[in-house]
Amino acid sequence: MVKPLSFKGDKKPKKRKRVEADPSAENAGPSGPVVATTADNVENDDTWVSADAVGDIQGPILFVLPTETPTCLACDANGKVFTDPIVNIIDGNPASAEPHDVRQVWIANRIHGTEYFRFKGRYGKYLSCDQYGILSATSEAISALETWTVIATADTPGTFQIQTQKDTFLTIKESSKANSSPEVRGDATDISFDTTLRIRMQARFKPRIKATKEEKAKEKISRKELEEAVGRRLNEDEVRTLKKARREGDYHEQLLDLKTKNKHDKYG
């Protein structure tokens, strides 16, 4: 389930402080070990990172457009799609961009059983491109007009092309009017700088980051928990062996070995 978005500058809810544990218990709380904090953080990580591959793209995303002044793709309540200046950015670097307005955020999902994507805007309507290349977000249903292919740019890692079902590309065109924002369309027939964009996404949805954090969460088990599982005090080597086993997936086998060793030591 996608959780409410938060942005830079928002006030963070105060978290309840945890009772300091006895150092000898290694993270043990008043009613037992406190071990789920890292696992919780995996699900609550609201930082933004760059998508590196097409397989990364899912969940809330920000389309960072190749404009001189960094902008992104946004939509309003009427379904108008437009370019919007990016406020949350470091030194104009598109790889650091984050949204500051929910209108800038799209929810990316693969269409089941296909390699195609759909992008849902802030108001529950899907990004669409008509036969003339005009973008909108007014449809609650998926048709060919709301179906997109994401292509990794061959010679520019970390960037993408967004292609319609008519084999045209999402592109930027500078406005002919003075002091007007660039126009975004879906009618480019060739890949160029103007069709090459970046996609920023929430870290908790990026498969490789999520897997790494979940792996680290598995390491967060206290000595006290391990000793309770084995039924005796453990030395440092045994603790390291069990923590490594949790990472590598043979924890229960190692635990059984130690329990068996306990019995042999007791009756040997």
Side-chain angles (χ1 to χ4, degrees):
M1 183 178 70
V2 177
K3 298 182 180 179
L5 296 168
S6 60
F7 305 106
K8 286 183 178 177
D10 287 354
K11 291 184 177 180
K12 299 288 185 181
K14 292 184 178 180
K15 295 183 179 179
R16 185 175 61 185
K17 292 184 178 179
R18 294 185 180 273
V19 177
E20 289 294 326
D22 180 353
S24 64
E26 286 198 18
N27 299 327
S31 59
V34 178
V35 297
T37 53
T38 303
D40 291 342
N41 289 341
V42 173
E43 296 301 322
N44 296 321
D45 188 351
D46 59 2
T47 59
W48 290 76
V49 296
S50 294
D52 298 314
V54 173
D56 292 340
I57 301 169
Q58 58 183 311
I61 64 169
L62 176 76
F63 290 108
V64 184
L65 304 172
T67 51
E68 184 175 351
T69 300
T71 61
C72 63
L73 195 68
C75 69
D76 64 19
N78 296 318
K80 179 182 178 182
V81 174
F82 57 97
T83 60
D84 202 28
I86 298 175
V87 174
N88 291 338
I89 192 167
I90 300 172
D91 297 330
N93 180 3
S96 70
E98 295 186 16
H100 70 276
D101 187 325
V102 290
R103 297 183 305 168
Q104 301 175 340
V105 178
W106 301 82
I107 306 301
N109 285 299
R110 283 186 185 270
I111 298 175
H112 182 68
T114 75
E115 293 299 310
Y116 301 127
F117 285 84
R118 59 188 180 190
F119 303 110
K120 183 185 287 188
R122 162 67 178 85
Y123 299 97
K125 309 296 178 59
Y126 292 99
L127 180 64
S128 177
C129 181
D130 69 12
Q131 60 181 321
Y132 304 107
I134 298 173
L135 302 178
S136 63
T138 57
S139 177
E140 296 181 349
I142 299 296
S143 70
L145 301 181
E146 291 78 36
T147 301
W148 302 84
T149 303
V150 180
I151 303 170
T153 310
D155 56 353
T156 312
T159 65
F160 302 90
Q161 310 293 322
I162 310 300
Q163 187 180 45
T164 72
Q165 293 303 288
K166 291 184 176 294
D167 295 331
T168 57
F169 299 95
L170 192 150
T171 188
I172 290 300
K173 294 187 177 180
E174 294 297 332
S175 175
S176 57
K177 300 178 181 179
N179 300 320
S180 294
S181 299
E183 182 183 5
V184 59
R185 297 180 57 85
D187 57 359
T189 55
D190 297 304
I191 291 174
S192 68
F193 175 81
D194 291 336
T195 66
T196 303
L197 50 81
R198 293 182 182 272
I199 294 176
R200 298 279 288 168
M201 61 182 292
Q202 287 194 331
R204 61 193 167 100
F205 289 95
K206 190 170 183 178
R208 278 166 284 183
I209 291 179
K210 186 174 182 179
T212 299
K213 290 189 174 183
E214 288 175 346
E215 182 178 295
K216 288 183 178 179
K218 290 180 180 179
E219 299 176 33
K220 294 294 181 179
I221 184 170
S222 70
R223 174 189 289 269
K224 182 177 179 180
E225 276 192 302
L226 293 174
E227 290 179 341
E228 287 177 350
V230 175
R232 63 172 173 83
R233 294 188 66 82
L234 301 174
N235 60 41
E236 292 298 329
D237 287 340
E238 290 170 330
V239 170
R240 279 195 292 269
T241 298
L242 286 175
K243 288 189 175 183
K244 181 180 179 182
R246 282 172 65 85
R247 295 195 303 270
E248 298 180 352
D250 61 342
Y251 170 71
H252 294 290
E253 289 85 346
Q254 293 290 343
L255 191 61
L256 182 60
D257 287 345
L258 285 175
K259 286 184 175 181
T260 303
K261 183 175 182 292
N262 285 357
K263 293 179 180 180
H264 289 165
D265 290 345
K266 184 175 181 180
Y267 299 108

